[in-house]
């Protein structure tokens, strides 16, 4: 089993980093192959260049793809499951991860295929995990949770994934009240993966 974790947080002092470490520990117990794309550690460029826009904006699939993008696409092609892990900032993922979708989901690969392009494989399971300061109940009440689920699951993961799910680890402003609940949810992730794969 090959698991790719696409991780976006700049600080190792963050709760999101604690979640990453816990998640890696849980998954390693299964003897699965775990690869982490730590976008900040990689210094992944989130901004699309003018040359990339020329390719993307006009569907010129014959133009080359950047080597950093190709490296991420190769990780996708090896994965049976992709987990996206990030903090919620202003009702969405950090710009670094948004830029990952902008660039890695290149035309001819993730959409707009033609007879000469390589189509992204369909991933059996996509799991989105995000940490949020506000409690889940509040995020649902103001409909931010539904908005985040719609964007991540229906647009960014979309039909590229057979099964997809989002876990919001909310309430982190009062971390001592929620951490054990969050870690219980993380402990159940291998069962979810096994049920699908």
């Amino acid at each position: 089993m090959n698991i790719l974790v696409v991780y976006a947080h700049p600080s190792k002092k963050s709760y999101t980093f604690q979640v990453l470490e816990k998640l890696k520990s849980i998954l390693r117990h299964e003897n699965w192959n775990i690869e982490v794309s730590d976008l900040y550690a990689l210094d992944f460029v989130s901004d699309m260049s003018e040359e990339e826009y020329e390719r993307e904006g006009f569907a010129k699939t014959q133009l080359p793809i950047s080597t950093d993008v190709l490296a991420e696409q190769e990780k996708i092609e090896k994965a049976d499951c992709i987990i996206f892990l990030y903090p919620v900032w202003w009702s969405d993922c950090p710009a670094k991860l948004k830029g990952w979708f902008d660039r890695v989901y290149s035309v001819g690969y993730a959409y707009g295929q033609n007879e000469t392009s390589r189509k992204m494989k369909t991933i059996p399971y996509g799991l989105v995990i995000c940490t949020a300061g506000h409690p889940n109940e509040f995020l649902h009440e103001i409909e931010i949770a539904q908005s985040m689920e719609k964007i991540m699951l229906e647009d960014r993961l979309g039909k590229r994934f057979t099964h997809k799910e989002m876990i919001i680890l909310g309430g982190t402003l009062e971390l001592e009240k929620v951490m054990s609940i969050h870690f219980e949810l993380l402990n159940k992730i291998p069962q979810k993966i096994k049920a699908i794969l």
Side-chain angles (χ1 to χ4, degrees):
M1 188 90 70
N2 295 312
I3 314 286
L4 172 62
V5 180
V6 181
Y7 172 71
H9 199 296
S11 175
K12 289 187 176 175
K13 296 177 183 175
S14 68
Y15 177 56
T16 311
F17 183 74
Q18 288 183 53
V19 171
L20 174 66
E21 292 300 292
K22 176 69 173 172
L23 181 63
K24 288 194 303 190
S25 170
I26 291 164
L27 296 174
R28 284 198 182 114
H29 273 296
E30 304 295 331
N31 292 318
W32 293 338
N33 300 314
I34 317 298
E35 182 163 19
V36 179
S37 252
D38 182 336
L39 301 185
Y40 283 89
L42 289 169
D43 201 17
F44 185 81
V45 175
S46 54
D47 293 340
M48 187 181 290
S49 68
E50 186 176 355
E51 293 78 15
E52 285 174 314
Y53 177 75
E54 181 73 18
R55 186 183 189 282
E56 297 301 306
F58 302 99
K60 295 182 178 178
T61 55
Q62 73 277 12
L63 293 179
I65 297 173
S66 300
T67 54
D68 61 339
V69 168
L70 286 172
E72 294 302 301
Q73 290 179 354
E74 286 308 317
K75 293 174 191 176
I76 290 172
E77 292 304 308
K78 288 192 293 186
D80 301 303
C81 167
I82 302 180
I83 300 173
F84 298 92
L85 174 58
Y86 60 90
V88 174
W89 291 348
W90 293 105
S91 309
D92 201 356
C93 62
K96 197 69 100 170
L97 180 55
K98 172 58 168 64
W100 186 92
F101 286 110
D102 288 347
R103 296 185 63 231
V104 175
Y105 274 18
S106 60
V107 66
Y109 179 65
Y111 71 100
Q113 285 84 21
N114 59 34
E115 63 282 351
T116 60
S117 62
R118 175 177 77 159
K119 182 179 179 181
M120 175 179 165
K121 82 172 198 179
T122 303
I123 308 293
Y125 184 42
L127 177 60
V128 176
I129 305 172
C130 56
T131 57
H134 290 301
N136 287 33
E137 301 76 25
F138 179 73
L139 292 171
H140 276 94
E141 183 185 321
I142 63 172
E143 299 187 358
I144 292 296
Q146 295 90 319
S147 170
M148 294 192 304
E149 287 170 0
K150 190 73 131 178
I151 290 166
M152 287 300 295
L153 299 183
E154 301 311 317
D155 183 33
R156 293 175 186 158
L157 273 64
K159 293 180 180 175
R160 300 168 192 94
F161 292 76
T162 309
H163 301 276
K164 51 205 173 182
E165 183 180 355
M166 186 174 207
I167 298 173
I168 301 172
L169 303 176
T172 63
L173 294 176
E174 297 183 280
L175 198 51
E176 67 285 350
K177 293 183 179 178
V178 297
M179 188 186 280
S180 63
I181 298 164
H182 290 176
F183 282 16
E184 280 176 37
L185 289 170
L186 295 175
N187 282 327
K188 292 175 182 172
I189 288 173
Q191 296 166 261
K192 290 175 180 286
I193 295 172
K194 286 176 189 174
I196 289 162
L197 302 174

